[in-house]
Amino acid sequence: MEICQRCNKRQAITVIGGRKLCEHCARDEIIKRVKREIYDSKQFSFNDKVAIILDEQFRPLSSILSFIISKACYKCKLQIEEVIINADSNYINDAIWKMIIEGEKLSHKIKILPFTSDFLLAYLIYTISSNDSNYLSFARSLVIFNNNIFFVPLYSTSILELKGFAELKLKWKDILFDRIYDWNLSYLKENFELFHTFHTSIQLFKKKSCKRCNAFIDSGEYCQRCNKLLTSLSPLY
């Protein structure tokens, strides 16, 4: 049995920051990590309304996100609400787009997106193989646009590091993305600190941003999804 390298008492179950940690210490390290992001953002205030925006595929992360955020900002007494979005599509980009577009409509001050570092790494690889606009602009803790505040508390935390809260298995409707995601987890499970090394690569994809959903685009003012939406909303005369 391997002993936790922080408390030197309990059995280690995961690795965080290069150290093998027990369930209790692993939870504490993740909460402290998110707490730093919250306070560095300077966006959270007492009694703020916070929405955790989830497509059904992200649903297993809901209770964990709510617990982590409430503990990380316990003095704020946040009003946290779960908002489920139905993407009506198997494609991962459609799901992300719908979460952002519907999130913009909410009156909540802070909108939480459930993207983990393993998800974002798989999405980076997925984006390379796709000609679609992409949402790598959300691969950071704080994104502010169109008077909306989107917070991504787990952008630097993988589900492997969340074992202190629960052992999760996420499944994606997008077959190509699901294969890439599973490959990443199986390939990097023995060295999952690599989930923290891809953020600089995202700068290579930085282009113009869609004025409506903040996706990276090659040209124009809107991505193809927002362009289609705005066209459909235009009057017939």
Side-chain angles (χ1 to χ4, degrees), residues 69-127:
I69 294 164
S70 60
K71 289 292 184 181
C73 197
Y74 70 94
K75 292 182 179 179
C76 302
K77 302 295 181 183
L78 301 173
Q79 300 179 54
I80 302 173
E81 180 183 357
E82 177 188 282
V83 178
I84 302 297
I85 303 300
N86 185 5
D88 294 321
S89 172
N90 288 341
Y91 293 109
I92 198 68
N93 275 333
D94 288 342
I96 298 173
W97 177 78
K98 192 71 178 288
M99 290 164 67
I100 294 164
I101 292 298
E102 294 300 319
E104 287 188 281
K105 299 176 184 177
L106 298 173
S107 61
H108 302 69
K109 178 185 174 184
I110 310 286
K111 289 89 184 242
I112 303 291
L113 293 173
F115 307 148
T116 55
S117 63
D118 48 290
F119 172 86
L120 291 168
L121 176 58
Y123 186 67
L124 172 64
I125 298 170
Y126 177 89
T127 296

Side-chain angles (χ1 to χ4, degrees), residues 21 30 38 45 72-73 90 96 103 110 131 146 169 175 179 194-195 219 221:
L21 302 180
I30 297 301
I38 286 175
S45 303
C73 197
N90 288 341
I96 298 173
I110 310 286
N131 293 323
N146 296 344
K169 172 62 177 176
I175 295 173
R179 288 174 179 169
L194 291 174
F195 286 123
S219 59
E221 295 186 337

Side-chain angles (χ1 to χ4, degrees), residues 35-43 142:
K35 183 177 181 179
R36 283 195 299 270
E37 299 292 350
I38 286 175
Y39 283 94
D40 287 348
S41 76
K42 298 185 170 91
Q43 300 297 327
L142 184 68

Side-chain angles (χ1 to χ4, degrees), residues 4-197:
C4 174
Q5 294 177 323
R6 179 180 145 176
C7 68
N8 296 314
K9 296 177 181 178
R10 295 173 285 266
Q11 181 180 1
I13 62 166
T14 189
V15 177
I16 299 176
R19 294 191 297 174
K20 296 177 181 178
L21 302 180
C22 65
E23 177 181 318
H24 176 83
C25 292
R27 285 189 176 202
D28 190 54
E29 286 295 319
I30 297 301
I31 290 169
K32 286 199 300 184
R33 180 185 290 175
V34 174
K35 183 177 181 179
R36 283 195 299 270
E37 299 292 350
I38 286 175
Y39 283 94
D40 287 348
S41 76
K42 298 185 170 91
Q43 300 297 327
F44 289 75
S45 303
F46 181 77
N47 210 32
D48 275 345
K49 291 178 65 179
V50 175
I52 300 175
I53 306 169
L54 303 151
D55 173 79
E56 190 63 36
Q57 299 165 103
F58 291 95
R59 193 70 178 269
L61 287 164
S62 175
S63 59
I64 293 174
L65 273 169
S66 181
F67 179 83
I68 292 174
I69 294 164
S70 60
K71 289 292 184 181
C73 197
Y74 70 94
K75 292 182 179 179
C76 302
K77 302 295 181 183
L78 301 173
Q79 300 179 54
I80 302 173
E81 180 183 357
E82 177 188 282
V83 178
I84 302 297
I85 303 300
N86 185 5
D88 294 321
S89 172
N90 288 341
Y91 293 109
I92 198 68
N93 275 333
D94 288 342
I96 298 173
W97 177 78
K98 192 71 178 288
M99 290 164 67
I100 294 164
I101 292 298
E102 294 300 319
E104 287 188 281
K105 299 176 184 177
L106 298 173
S107 61
H108 302 69
K109 178 185 174 184
I110 310 286
K111 289 89 184 242
I112 303 291
L113 293 173
F115 307 148
T116 55
S117 63
D118 48 290
F119 172 86
L120 291 168
L121 176 58
Y123 186 67
L124 172 64
I125 298 170
Y126 177 89
T127 296
I128 295 170
S129 63
S130 170
N131 293 323
D132 203 349
S133 54
N134 70 76
Y135 294 92
L136 291 171
S137 53
F138 289 89
R140 49 199 172 107
S141 63
L142 184 68
V143 182
I144 302 176
F145 69 99
N146 296 344
N147 297 316
N148 285 279
I149 302 170
F150 285 90
F151 188 62
V152 190
L154 301 179
Y155 86 104
S156 64
T157 300
S158 74
I159 62 167
L160 298 173
E161 294 173 296
L162 294 175
K163 285 179 69 176
F165 300 95
E167 196 149 354
L168 300 174
K169 172 62 177 176
L170 301 182
K171 184 73 176 174
W172 311 99
K173 297 176 184 177
D174 188 319
I175 295 173
L176 174 59
F177 181 77
D178 192 57
R179 288 174 179 169
I180 294 171
Y181 183 81
D182 284 346
W183 178 83
N184 275 342
L185 284 182
S186 62
Y187 188 73
L188 298 179
K189 65 182 179 181
E190 299 301 326
N191 190 13
F192 41 91
E193 290 302 310
L194 291 174
F195 286 123
H196 302 284
T197 62

